[in-house]
Every structure is written in C-alpha cells, then in structure tokens.
Amino acid sequence: MEWSVIDSELYETRRSCVVHYRGGEGVGAVAATCSASELRVAPTARLPAPRAAPRRSGTLGPRCARFALPSTHSFRDALSRRPASASFVRAHSYRVRSSLRTTYFTSFKMTESTDTPAAAAPEKTPTENGSTETPAEETPEKATEEKEKEVPPPKEMRAVVLTGFGGLKTVKILKKPEPAVAEGEVLIRVKACGLNFQDLIVRQGAIDSPPKTPFILGFECAGEVEQVGEGVTNFKVGDQVVALPEYRAWAELVAVPAQLVYALPAGMSALDAVAITTNYLVAYLLLFEMANLTPGKSLLVHSAGGGVGQAVAQLAKTVDNVTVFGVCSKTKHEALKANNNNIDHLLERGSDYTSEVRKICPDGVDIVLDCLCGEECNRGYSLLKPMGRYILYGSSNIVTGETKSFFSAARAWWQVDKVSPIKLFDENKSLAGLNLRHLLFQNGRTDYVRRAVDAVFSLWGQGKVKPLVDSTWALEDVAEAMQKMHDRKNIGKLVLDPSLEPKPKPATPAKGKSGKEKKPAKESSEEKKEKETKEEEKKPAENGEKNGEEALTNGNSDEESKEKEKESS
C-alpha cells in the first residue's frame, strides 16, 4: 500500500497535527501528537473519507491503529511505510511550514513500546504452482541492519590525544576518525610535527581558554596537501606545506583553514619546515618587528639553547656588529660552543648573570627577550639601557612540576614589579609582549604573520639561517619527548615523525596476580631450624671423612714404602 500526503492541519492545542493520506482502497488520515521530547503517530484504519481535524484536545478516534517509524527518516517517508507495531518515537528536531500547511519531522529515534496492536494482513503473491506465498514483513530492525551494512565504517587515523589535564599519563595515542575537509580548508597528510613549550603548558591546563578534553594536541605540522576544500584557490593537491592550526596538529591527517597554511620553498623538507616555522617566526617578529634591531646593538635572550633561542641568535647575526648574550643551563654550554655557536657570551641560568653582563657592558643592553617571566622580568628590566626594550614572549617559569601548580603561577605573578607608565617615561624605556597564538586566532592578523613567514623562508633560501634539530621522535614516544623538554635538556627543536616506529620498551619482570614482582617465599622458623640441624650433622660426618681419608693415605704411604724397600734390596 502506497500512501501520499494530501493535506495537513496544525492543531492549536497540544501541538498535534492531522495528515490525510490516500492509499490502497480508501482514503484515511494520520494523526500525530508531540510534546517537547516525544512524537506519537497513529493512522486511522481505512476511513471512507478524510474527516476534519477536531478543534478540541482529545481523542484520535476509536478506530485508530498505531504504527512504527524506522530509526531515521523524514515524516513524509514514514507515510510510505506500511503499518507495523505500536511505538513511541522521539523527535530530535522538527519544523512546521505554515505556508504549505504541512507538518513534517526530521530525525527520529526508535524506543521500545509495550503496545502490540494487530498487524495488517500481508498481501499474498501467486507462485508458478498456483499456490500463494506471503512475503516476509520488513521490520524496522531489519531496515536498520541493512543500512548499517551498506554504510562503510569511517576511516581512522592515529593521533596524540589529551584525555585530561595533568601529567604525562594523560597523553595517549588513540584512533580517531579522519577529518573531512570543509569549505575554505585544506586537508594535509602530516609528515612531521613540531613540539613547543606551549604544548607542555596546554597539557597541564595552564593556558588561557583551553578546549574541553579529550582533544588532539599540537600547533605545528608539515606535510602534503591531500584534498582542497571549496573556495581554496592558492593550494592544490600535492603541494608541500606547513600549517599552524589551533590544536589538532599531532595526527596523521589534519584539516586546516587555508589562511593558516604556508607553501614550502623548493628544497625544504617537512622536518626542516617544522623546525623553522614557529621558532624563526617568533624570533623574526621579536627582533625586526618589535625590537627594531639595528647594527651595533646588544641583546640578551633567555633559554638560549632552545629552538627560539637558537633562532634569535642566528637571525641577530644577520645584522652587523650585534652582541648576543645567552642564558641557559651550564650543561648546554659545551654543546652550543661546538655547534657553530652564534652567541657571544654564554651565561649560566640561576647565577647572578646581571653582574656578568655589567662587566662586559656597563650601561646594560638594548634588548631583553624573556620567555621565563617571574623574577626574571625585574632583572631584565634593570639591565636595559636608556631607549632599551624589554619583550616578554613566554611564561615557562609557571611549569615547575609534571602537573599544574597554582603556587608557581601565583609566585610568578607576585614577583613581577608593577611598572607605571610614568616610570617608563622618566627612564626612557619600553615594555612589550608577543603572543603568537593570540595574534593568529584572536587578533586575526593572519596576513601580517604570512608576510613574516615569507621573510623567514627567504632568509632560509639565501642560506643565512639553518634550523637546529635536537632529535626526532615517533608519535608513541611523545611523552618521553615532552619530558626532555620539561627538563630543559634539548638543544634545538624536538620533532615528531608519524612514520617512525616507537622505541622498544624494556622488558618488565614477571608479576604475580597481585601485580607485584614475584619474590622468593620467606622460610619459616621451623624450616630454618631443620636446615641448621642438618648442617650440624653434616659437619662431624665431613670431619670423619676427612680423618678417614688421612688414615687411608697414611696407610697407602706405608705399603708404598715397604714395596720400595723390597725393590731396593
């Protein structure tokens, strides 16, 4: 029986409607009532003609028979189905077109029902032998099973997922559905990912406005364009690119808005791209856009052994007669000196480096680049010359332990002196700050950042800068890489490569049912006594054996002497 909608009328009470239908031998009507969360549909059983919808709230009529809707379809499609069993249907969304006087519903979900009305008699079809067969009824469960079989399962990818804010155990490698490219986006097959200190702050939840967990980590990745969304004209499939998305970069595939994607120059690999883009972009903005670095100036940079610190040192040396002071851990000094160091004076972190700087430059320095915050802000400001500039571009001092520390954050805030603009006016000094994440995603300065990226790539093409990569890690070893950066043991950039195999884990000793390592069972006091008595019994026996051996040897020696006497006679 095929049904079709003829007309519908919206009730004024109880949000119900009547839909007339025509099918088979007669004409009938479908009446539906819905509340805020449920929809109940009941067709009348073969009425001779459509009846006007009752204006009063109340019954649907004694001759109404209920029928079930499939799991997901529109209200119009429901009318082309044959009546089955009674059920209640939950409506996720619905809308009313009053101009067409048609009420329809979208997206339904089946719920179980206790009503079992009589099902309509199935039609019989004649066979070749003359007998009749009744076709098998199509139930909603069978329909949903067939749909599930037809729809292939979504493709999955590996991704570094933060399951909760805290320590390294919250960072896990999970399977996630592959992203679909939207309008204005570019789908990238990732070949390398960049690890930055900002990722450690995000893991602890110390960053402003963090997303709700779980989510995919990462702000930097490079790879090949696999698909281009509608409206994207400056990229095509196969282009080698680097991207700076807001999260979701540490995965095998990532969909990024085109304004955050940058084409790589010829000859630049994905590994070099993630080692140069973020670090050298920050360094370029600090030196040339904010500090106005010119020949003859001096600057001091903290964390000189890190990725940004090395980028600052290299870019500063592209300007003539610039003196660079670098503050870093004592353990990194020898490695930096051996690796084409561009830092003129290495200073030990935690020492009184301000006095060391004063010995070389009594007036102080022109530029201080601080990524630590806390008490270093006061020291850096005190080192500035007149017309000097202090720039804060990080707050790594708030990361002290594996998890977020409110005490460290409060101490870093408390240790910073509040500088009045009048003081800056009197001392001819200036303060500034750079937050690349806010510049891109909150201030919307994507064109400004793109010009800086092009300038950095141009310097790389001229051979004036060369990124320093500390080590490359598999996605499964990201926790170990994070720990290395947390301990300030890296010299240069830490890179994640999805194609690398994880490091083999050391074999762990066998564990018992309780989960603890198996240890030899302790001997009871009785067993110890038995062992001691046995040992005591063995001692005299051994002494006797020794005495016996001595007697036998002596006897043998006498017989041998007699034989010797006979031989001599």
Side-chain angles (χ1 to χ4, degrees), residues 115-382:
D115 299 337
T116 55
E123 297 179 1
K124 298 182 179 181
T125 56
T127 61
E128 295 179 358
N129 300 332
S131 60
T132 58
E133 291 182 356
T134 57
E137 292 186 5
E138 183 181 356
T139 62
E141 294 179 357
K142 290 183 179 180
T144 54
E145 289 177 1
E146 291 178 358
K147 289 183 180 179
E148 289 178 358
K149 290 180 181 178
E150 293 176 0
V151 178
K155 295 182 179 179
E156 293 182 334
M157 64 175 183
R158 290 183 303 147
V160 181
V161 180
L162 183 67
T163 57
F165 299 113
L168 296 173
K169 293 182 179 180
T170 60
V171 181
K172 297 182 180 180
I173 307 300
L174 302 177
K175 292 286 187 179
K176 287 288 184 180
E178 292 185 356
V181 62
E183 182 179 357
E185 290 185 343
V186 175
L187 185 65
I188 302 172
R189 175 70 62 176
V190 177
K191 297 180 180 178
C193 310
L195 175 60
N196 302 294
F197 204 89
Q198 184 176 235
D199 298 305
L200 275 65
I201 299 176
V202 171
R203 190 200 73 210
Q204 294 188 354
I207 199 168
D208 61 296
S209 304
K212 188 177 180 181
T213 57
F215 63 91
I216 301 176
L217 287 167
F219 293 92
E220 183 180 21
C221 62
E224 182 178 341
V225 175
E226 192 164 285
Q227 191 177 351
V228 177
E230 185 180 354
V232 178
T233 57
N234 52 342
F235 295 103
K236 63 181 184 300
V237 176
D239 286 349
Q240 303 299 314
V241 295
V242 63
L244 301 177
E246 189 174 20
Y247 307 107
R248 300 176 291 106
W250 293 355
E252 293 179 320
L253 279 170
V254 57
V256 188
Q259 63 265 26
L260 301 175
V261 182
Y262 312 93
L264 300 184
M268 180 180 286
S269 64
L271 184 69
D272 289 337
V274 295
I276 197 174
T277 303
T278 298
N279 291 344
Y280 284 78
L281 171 60
V282 171
Y284 183 89
L285 294 175
L286 289 172
L287 293 176
F288 302 114
E289 296 291 334
M290 304 188 73
N292 190 25
L293 182 64
T294 54
K297 288 188 175 182
S298 59
L299 68 92
L300 181 141
V301 58
H302 286 277
S303 299
V308 176
Q310 287 294 294
V312 167
Q314 288 188 24
L315 289 174
K317 288 303 179 180
T318 61
V319 181
D320 296 333
N321 194 23
V322 172
T323 304
V324 179
F325 293 86
V327 182
C328 63
S329 302
K330 184 68 175 178
T331 55
K332 297 183 180 181
H333 288 193
E334 294 299 327
L336 289 174
K337 291 176 181 177
N339 193 10
N340 298 324
N341 184 36
N342 294 296
I343 301 174
D344 300 304
H345 305 282
L346 281 170
L347 307 172
E348 184 179 356
R349 181 182 179 182
S351 64
D352 186 14
Y353 60 85
T354 55
S355 60
E356 297 294 328
V357 174
R358 293 288 184 184
K359 292 177 183 179
I360 302 170
C361 298
D363 295 335
V365 295
D366 297 290
I367 303 166
V368 174
L369 304 178
D370 182 14
C371 62
L372 303 179
C373 197
E375 61 180 349
E376 306 301 333
C377 296
N378 305 329
R379 292 182 181 180
Y381 183 83
S382 66

Side-chain angles (χ1 to χ4, degrees), residues 76-87:
R76 287 175 173 269
D77 295 337
L79 299 180
S80 63
R81 302 276 179 170
R82 300 181 62 184
S85 60
S87 67

